[in-house]
Amino acid sequence: MIEIIFLDVDGCLSDGGIYKTNSGDEFKRFDVKDGFALQQWNKLGKISAIITGKKSLIVENRAKELGIKYCFQDVKDKMAKASEILNLEGLSFDNAAAIGDDLNDMRLLSSVALSFSPNDAHESVKTDIKLSKNGGFGAVREMIDIIIDRSNLKDKWLSSWL
């Protein structure tokens, strides 16, 4: 059963754009549906972890806002960082899913039990499931919905809302 999801940010949780103002301020676009699904995933007692190659205070703040347990930025080897997290949690790659959209995600994606890529991922990224949604536009929500369905957690997922 999937207990942890590993998330890339740019191109998965965000639309991949890096927006800069004239004064040099940077901002990213996140989808509220992704955020809602991550909060609900965490409420089920599951774990979410951001592992991203870029560093941004925006990402740190978003992770805190959503209750994401692990947020590692400026990571060169995502596979090694995922292994560390799994060891801390007493889990294995058999308990993990991941979403990624580019070459730096491929080692991790090929190691987890269930891998996902947004619809607009780079063409060389091969995963178990290519989502219908683009990164930053509900791809993470779609991924979590699929995991919930496959794990027979739909009733528990919906119980707090119905």
Side-chain angles (χ1 to χ4, degrees), residues 120-149:
D120 59 346
H122 189 274
E123 64 188 28
S124 63
V125 175
K126 304 297 181 216
T127 56
D128 298 315
I129 299 173
K130 183 172 183 172
L131 301 163
S132 67
K133 305 285 187 188
N134 286 347
F137 290 91
V140 171
R141 172 62 185 262
E142 185 180 357
M143 173 186 76
I144 291 172
D145 284 344
I146 290 168
I147 295 169
I148 293 297
D149 284 344

Side-chain angles (χ1 to χ4, degrees), residues 4-156:
I4 185 169
I5 53 176
F6 295 114
L7 307 159
D8 179 43
V9 175
D10 294 319
C12 293
L13 264 178
S14 81
D15 64 6
I18 298 173
Y19 304 93
K20 296 211 178 236
T21 65
N22 287 335
S23 60
D25 294 330
E26 183 178 303
F27 64 97
K28 293 180 184 286
R29 181 197 180 284
F30 297 102
D31 191 297
V32 70
K33 292 177 201 77
D34 292 340
F36 180 79
L38 283 164
Q39 288 175 319
Q40 299 316 303
W41 174 258
N42 297 335
K43 283 183 182 177
L44 286 175
K46 305 295 185 177
I47 302 164
S48 50
I50 287 174
I51 305 176
T52 184
K54 194 171 179 329
K55 186 168 178 66
S56 166
L57 182 58
I58 298 165
V59 171
E60 183 180 326
N61 290 337
R62 184 70 173 152
K64 286 178 187 172
E65 181 178 84
L66 298 177
I68 293 173
K69 186 169 185 178
Y70 297 100
C71 181
F72 291 100
Q73 300 187 73
D74 201 23
V75 175
K76 302 300 178 234
D77 186 345
K78 292 184 179 190
M79 179 77 175
K81 189 54 73 178
S83 292
E84 285 178 37
I85 294 168
L86 291 170
N87 285 336
L88 286 171
E89 293 295 334
L91 297 170
S92 74
F93 283 103
D94 292 336
N95 306 114
I99 185 170
D101 69 316
D102 217 326
L103 301 175
N104 62 333
D105 301 311
M106 289 176 52
R107 281 186 59 223
L108 177 57
L109 291 170
S110 67
S111 299
V112 295
L114 194 55
S115 61
F116 297 85
S117 57
N119 186 52
D120 59 346
H122 189 274
E123 64 188 28
S124 63
V125 175
K126 304 297 181 216
T127 56
D128 298 315
I129 299 173
K130 183 172 183 172
L131 301 163
S132 67
K133 305 285 187 188
N134 286 347
F137 290 91
V140 171
R141 172 62 185 262
E142 185 180 357
M143 173 186 76
I144 291 172
D145 284 344
I146 290 168
I147 295 169
I148 293 297
D149 284 344
R150 287 184 173 202
S151 301
N152 295 316
L153 293 171
K154 189 79 162 197
D155 290 340
K156 188 174 181 183

